[in-house]
Amino acid sequence: MDIILKGKYIIKCKIETVTGLHIGEGNNSLEIGGIDNAVVKDAEGKPYIPGSSLKGKMRALMEFAEGKVRDNLLVVTVRKNDKPEICIHMCKEKDCPVCGLFGRNHGKHVTKKNLIENPQAEGEDFSDAVIPTRLIARDAKLIESSIPPEIRENLDLEWTEVKFENNIDRITSKANPRQSERVPAGAQFSAEFVINRYEIDSKDDNDYYLKKFLKAMKLLEDDYLGGQGSRGNGKVRFVDIEIFYKDSSDYEKESGKLKPIATAKSLDELKLS
């Protein structure tokens, strides 16, 4: 396989929370007086959106939207007692919008269908189909000014609020309260995505994967990011969008300010030239 890097699409935008946002830090320990369910924070103690959360959520949405969630198209990434526990889509199709944009893993993988039929199945080697992942999703840092002082004074913590929920027994009405930390509605994060444009075996990507990525962004706006999305959290939108293109030859030039090839206040207004 011959691969040439033709250039890079760089998408800069803000991610604005429409409702409270909870992306858990993954720490199951509980401190006395602490929050049951804290959000992920950076080294400065400010909430941020991990690139892995953005990439993972958009990949999952695209798998459904592109018709890839079928037992014979899902590979098992985690198994328990020889049964599939976590599955994602991965295939050898050259123009697959999911694998081409979000990436494939090396080595052998067994499909969910084959593992159910034969727990000892070795799986198929995907090494020949692996190419560098096109999409890079940066961590999105909090824009501090998006949470002004008049809102911060009403927050439970320095940058976040605490949402109380109850799990109530249907017969006795006994309550099991819990607290979840979340970023308040209206907060903005500075985001950046990069999509590599390749020429593979003389076939140029052009803007095929850029358009697929914009589709993934739109899907995310009508879904949710982070946890507890079916209970009110995680609605986000992309605003102040700028798309730049840097040809591979631009990296040989002296630094110069690039002009965006497209700008828009929202995804609905965005048009590619």
Side-chain angles (χ1 to χ4, degrees):
M1 184 184 302
D2 298 326
I3 304 176
I4 300 172
L5 177 66
K6 300 292 288 183
K8 289 175 179 279
Y9 292 102
I10 301 169
I11 300 104
K12 296 186 178 184
C13 61
K14 296 172 184 171
I15 300 174
E16 184 174 279
T17 58
V18 181
T19 65
L21 173 67
H22 174 85
I23 298 179
E25 65 176 359
N27 183 358
N28 295 322
S29 64
L30 176 62
E31 297 178 5
I32 295 173
I35 299 294
D36 297 345
N37 204 1
V39 300
V40 63
K41 298 186 181 70
D42 61 18
E44 297 177 322
K46 298 168 191 166
Y48 74 104
I49 302 176
S52 57
S53 296
L54 290 163
K55 190 175 177 183
K57 183 66 183 191
M58 284 194 273
R59 177 176 188 137
L61 292 171
M62 283 291 284
E63 288 176 1
F64 283 100
E66 297 288 338
K68 305 294 184 181
V69 183
R70 289 181 281 169
D71 285 352
N72 63 330
L73 297 178
L74 295 174
V75 300
V76 180
T77 58
V78 178
R79 65 173 74 181
K80 190 172 184 180
N81 299 326
D82 285 333
K83 292 183 179 178
E85 186 163 80
I86 296 177
C87 303
I88 67 170
H89 167 73
M90 198 162 64
C91 69
K92 290 184 174 181
E93 182 186 333
K94 282 188 176 180
D95 295 329
C96 174
V98 174
C99 298
L101 188 58
F102 298 94
R104 298 179 176 90
N105 295 326
H106 295 267
K108 291 184 176 180
H109 300 275
V110 62
T111 64
K112 180 180 180 181
K113 183 175 185 293
N114 286 341
L115 184 65
I116 291 172
E117 293 173 349
N118 176 17
Q120 307 306 317
E122 280 193 11
E124 191 175 357
D125 193 339
F126 282 69
S127 298
D128 291 343
V130 173
I131 60 171
T133 301
R134 288 181 172 83
L135 174 63
I136 299 166
R138 313 279 192 207
D139 289 346
K141 293 195 66 172
L142 176 69
I143 300 172
E144 294 181 28
S145 59
S146 67
I147 308 179
E150 58 268 27
I151 290 181
R152 288 185 64 185
E153 67 183 15
N154 294 318
L155 296 178
D156 303 281
L157 301 169
E158 186 175 7
W159 297 102
T160 55
E161 61 187 6
V162 176
K163 181 184 179 187
F164 289 84
E165 294 182 340
N166 263 325
N167 184 11
I168 299 175
D169 184 279
R170 301 301 186 268
I171 305 300
T172 65
S173 295
K174 182 180 179 180
N176 179 29
R178 55 177 288 175
Q179 310 166 358
S180 283
E181 185 182 15
R182 63 181 196 172
V183 179
Q188 293 183 330
F189 296 82
S190 178
E192 181 179 292
F193 305 93
V194 179
I195 299 170
N196 288 324
R197 173 186 166 192
Y198 292 125
E199 180 182 290
I200 299 178
D201 292 338
S202 302
K203 184 178 181 182
D204 193 328
D205 288 346
N206 290 308
D207 60 1
Y208 174 75
Y209 290 100
L210 172 63
K211 290 178 177 175
K212 289 296 182 182
F213 180 68
L214 295 177
K215 177 180 178 179
M217 293 172 77
K218 291 176 181 175
L219 287 168
L220 179 55
E221 282 193 344
D222 286 337
D223 208 273
Y224 64 87
L225 183 63
Q228 302 160 10
S230 65
R231 301 201 299 274
N233 289 347
K235 180 172 176 56
V236 298
R237 63 185 171 206
F238 297 94
V239 299
D240 298 338
I241 303 159
E242 291 183 305
I243 301 177
F244 301 85
Y245 178 71
K246 294 178 77 172
D247 191 81
S248 61
S249 62
D250 290 332
Y251 291 90
E252 299 174 6
K253 301 174 183 175
E254 294 183 0
S255 60
K257 191 172 183 180
L258 285 177
K259 291 183 180 179
I261 59 172
T263 62
K265 295 296 291 182
S266 68
L267 284 174
D268 288 338
E269 299 175 9
L270 185 65
K271 292 182 180 178
L272 297 178
S273 57

